[in-house]
Amino acid sequence: DIQMTQSPSTLSASIGDRVTITCRASQSISSWLAWYQQKPGKAPKLLMYKASSLESGVPLRFSGSESGTEFTLTISSLQPDDFATYYCQHYSTYPYTFGQGTKLEIK
Amino acid sequence: QVQLVQSGAEVKKPGASVKVSCKASGYTFTTYYMHWVRQAPGQGLDWMGVINPSGDSTTYAQKFQGRVTMTRETSTSTVYMELSSLRSEDTAVYYCARADYGGSGRYWGQGTLVTVSS
């Protein structure tokens, strides 16, 4: 199985900060990576697919990039609505494993 | 618009089975695979498996093999996830998610809380 190692597990930041969350795959997944945002009591929401494609309706301050097996989600200028937990998921081969999650907290 | 509506919360005793439904609307049911993901209280997301509503083929995560069964009913555009031999560790919110863009979960059900307790 492909393992997804996500870091950091917790991130404290302020409104307006630029933040980066990283996911590393244990082997090549091409660009088959998605990023989700989840708020308490809600289903995950798709932000990015195919590593760097922005889902419709998602603000442009979110972006994704890749370098080999390392993938990054960047929020360019944090807004109050962005404080949530973020997950990566590969969808290269079954099983489609998730990263452990990053909780983004207000500093 | 695309909607995935799941069945309501369940309370089960250890050793029992639970069957959660996910009714799809707003699109052609057989066109998109459906995934099941669960989330234990305070924990991360755990991929359980996938069903192809067109051909009824399934793939399950190894940890659930032998205990999970995913089925579909095309006449009602509904997929089902049945988990047997329940234990307390199976207490979680169970989600269905439609696979788009090659496999990412673009649309999600609202989640179904399954509580396993004696």
Side-chain angles (χ1 to χ4, degrees), chain A residues 36 38 42 49 55 91 96, chain B residues 35 39 47 95 101 105-106:
Chain A
Y36 301 92
Q38 188 181 32
K42 299 294 187 181
Y49 61 95
E55 169 65 347
Y91 50 103
Y96 289 177
Chain B
H35 296 255
Q39 186 170 38
W47 185 85
Y95 294 102
Y101 307 130
R106 187 180 189 195

Side-chain angles (χ1 to χ4, degrees), chain A residues 35-38 43-48 57-59 81, chain B residues 105-106 108:
Chain A
W35 289 99
Y36 301 92
Q37 177 193 69
Q38 188 181 32
K45 173 188 174 184
L46 181 66
L47 299 175
M48 312 289 305
V58 174
D81 190 50
Chain B
R106 187 180 189 195
W108 293 66

Side-chain angles (χ1 to χ4, degrees), chain B residues 61-105:
Chain B
Q62 181 71 27
K63 66 185 289 186
F64 299 106
Q65 286 276 2
R67 287 207 303 141
V68 70
T69 305
M70 296 177 189
T71 56
R72 89 326 188 197
E73 191 173 76
T74 53
S75 63
T76 59
S77 299
T78 303
V79 295
Y80 300 90
M81 187 284 300
E82 184 169 22
L83 189 63
S84 62
S85 302
L86 289 169
R87 36 211 189 225
S88 57
E89 310 89 89
D90 295 317
T91 294
V93 175
Y94 290 76
Y95 294 102
C96 59
R98 193 186 91 170
D100 285 52
Y101 307 130
S104 57

